[in-house]
Amino acid sequence: MEEIKSLGQLAEQVKASGTKTRIAVAAAEDAHTLDALGRAVKEGFVRASLIGDKRRIEELCAKENLCQGDFEIIDRPDETAAVNMAVQMVKTGNADAVMKGLVSTDKFLKAVIHKEKGLLLPKAVMSHVCVLEIPAYRKLLFISDTAVLPFPDLDQKAAMINYCVNVARGFGIEKPRVALVSATDKVIGAIPNTLEYALLAKMAERGQIKNCVIDGPLDIFLACDPSSLAVKGVDTPIAGNADILIFPNLECSNSFYKGLMLFADGELAGLIQGTQKPVIVMSRSESALSKYYSIALACKMGMEK
């Protein structure tokens, strides 16, 4: 499989597939979300059902020069009703993926994880994988968890790694390098995550986590800057060439990626993992381009399920 080296290449591959994905959007009255969907619809790989305040959606379509006829617009002004309807459309096979619009992540995910009516796979860990394109880094960077797990435990971190590896392999990276990120490269009792990282590295060594190379704890320099190995005198198989970064908690991961978006001209594609069908959760302040790339990622991963 040819390696996908940019988010633009990801979108081109989805367009070339000839597959059209049906996306149900909860609380769709958001300009960036509408712009992203409008582009995906025009390019022929998405059909979109916009669920929310119809009057406001139509106003935004007019303001953004989007054709209302390109979408199915369903009037559900109440946020909870809009979210529930979007999730149920996927649950019943009337849509292939669900996307969060102008609604809080907590309210949206509550419907996704509902025991009877939601989309979470039995006994699965729900997590979030983010694919970053940063001009200053030489390749795509996969990170987790940016949106779901506040303080992941050992088993949840193992699930996060497996999800990232699966997505990276979908991009053609046969054996991704996974860096377990900390403020130090030492295993220190006072920093509990470093102890978990040592266990995760041992699990990979024994084949409990497959199809990747894992090392940690490592700081960002050792993970992503080859020259830092000689400077710091550390020997690591990641060799400053990480494909995947696993962070100790959501605060670290979320702040890391948002800083790159704001200060380093980054763009991203993100997707919830552990669900029956693709679930797109984006910050309401995310760019239209990042939301477009996330739609493309959902289409690609949906085709592979």
Side-chain angles (χ1 to χ4, degrees):
M1 176 183 177
E2 180 186 358
E3 184 177 338
I4 298 172
K5 296 183 178 180
S6 71
L7 295 178
Q9 187 181 349
L10 164 69
E12 290 300 321
Q13 187 182 97
V14 171
K15 282 190 282 184
S17 72
T19 301
K20 189 169 285 193
T21 300
R22 301 167 299 172
I23 298 181
V25 188
E29 51 272 18
D30 171 70
H32 284 177
T33 299
L34 293 175
D35 284 344
L37 287 162
R39 177 175 175 181
V41 168
K42 287 292 186 187
E43 292 178 355
F45 62 91
V46 160
R47 292 202 303 270
S49 297
L50 309 180
I51 307 161
D53 186 330
K54 184 177 180 181
R55 180 187 60 80
R56 181 60 181 149
I57 291 170
E58 290 175 343
E59 287 176 354
L60 285 170
C61 284
K63 183 178 178 181
E64 301 297 320
N65 295 314
L66 298 170
C67 177
Q68 295 176 28
D70 288 344
F71 310 108
E72 177 187 26
I73 303 176
I74 302 171
D75 192 27
R76 290 293 186 280
D78 179 77
E79 279 187 351
T80 300
V83 170
N84 289 339
M85 183 175 187
V87 171
Q88 283 311 296
M89 285 182 69
V90 177
K91 185 78 172 178
T92 57
N94 293 308
D96 304 306
V98 63
M99 181 175 186
K100 180 178 87 74
L102 196 66
V103 60
S104 71
T105 298
D106 288 350
K107 184 176 288 189
F108 179 79
L109 290 181
K110 183 178 180 181
V112 171
I113 65 175
H114 190 280
K115 189 173 182 180
E116 288 84 27
K117 298 179 180 180
L119 300 172
L120 191 65
L121 290 166
K123 299 181 180 179
V125 172
M126 185 169 68
S127 183
H128 189 264
V129 172
C130 185
V131 188
L132 296 175
E133 184 173 312
I134 314 155
Y137 200 52
R138 56 199 166 277
K139 57 183 176 177
L140 294 175
L141 193 57
F142 301 75
I143 71 170
S144 189
D145 179 303
T146 62
V148 178
L149 298 169
F151 299 100
D153 60 21
L154 179 68
D155 290 340
Q156 290 170 329
K157 285 187 176 77
M160 287 160 53
I161 293 168
N162 284 322
Y163 289 141
C164 281
V165 169
N166 181 58
V167 175
R169 285 170 62 84
F171 277 64
I173 305 169
E174 186 175 345
K175 197 165 186 178
R177 301 183 186 199
V178 182
L180 307 175
V181 177
S182 181
T184 177
D185 56 272
K186 305 286 193 303
V187 177
I188 300 173
I191 305 179
N193 277 294
T194 65
L195 302 175
E196 288 189 349
Y197 286 170
L199 291 172
L200 290 165
K202 179 59 72 173
M203 288 168 68
E205 185 181 310
R206 292 183 174 180
Q208 292 172 262
I209 301 174
K210 302 181 184 299
N211 300 317
C212 61
V213 176
I214 299 177
D215 197 21
L218 297 172
D219 69 9
I220 290 291
F221 288 110
L222 291 170
C224 298
D225 179 14
S227 67
S228 69
L229 275 70
V231 173
K232 294 197 168 198
V234 175
D235 183 21
T236 169
I238 305 305
N241 198 30
D243 299 292
I244 295 169
L245 302 181
I246 298 296
F247 287 86
N249 57 52
L250 187 149
E251 285 181 308
C252 292
S253 182
N254 189 277
S255 298
F256 176 81
Y257 101 81
K258 285 181 177 175
L260 292 174
M261 299 301 102
L262 183 60
F263 298 117
D265 296 323
E267 296 290 349
L268 66 86
L271 201 63
I272 293 289
Q273 303 293 303
T275 54
Q276 299 166 22
K277 296 288 184 177
V279 175
I280 306 168
V281 173
M282 301 286 289
S283 169
R284 284 164 283 184
S285 60
E286 226 61 83
S287 73
L289 183 57
S290 285
K291 292 186 178 186
Y292 166 79
Y293 288 144
S294 295
I295 291 165
L297 178 61
C299 294
K300 176 174 174 55
M301 300 305 291
M303 288 187 290
E304 295 177 357
K305 287 205 174 196

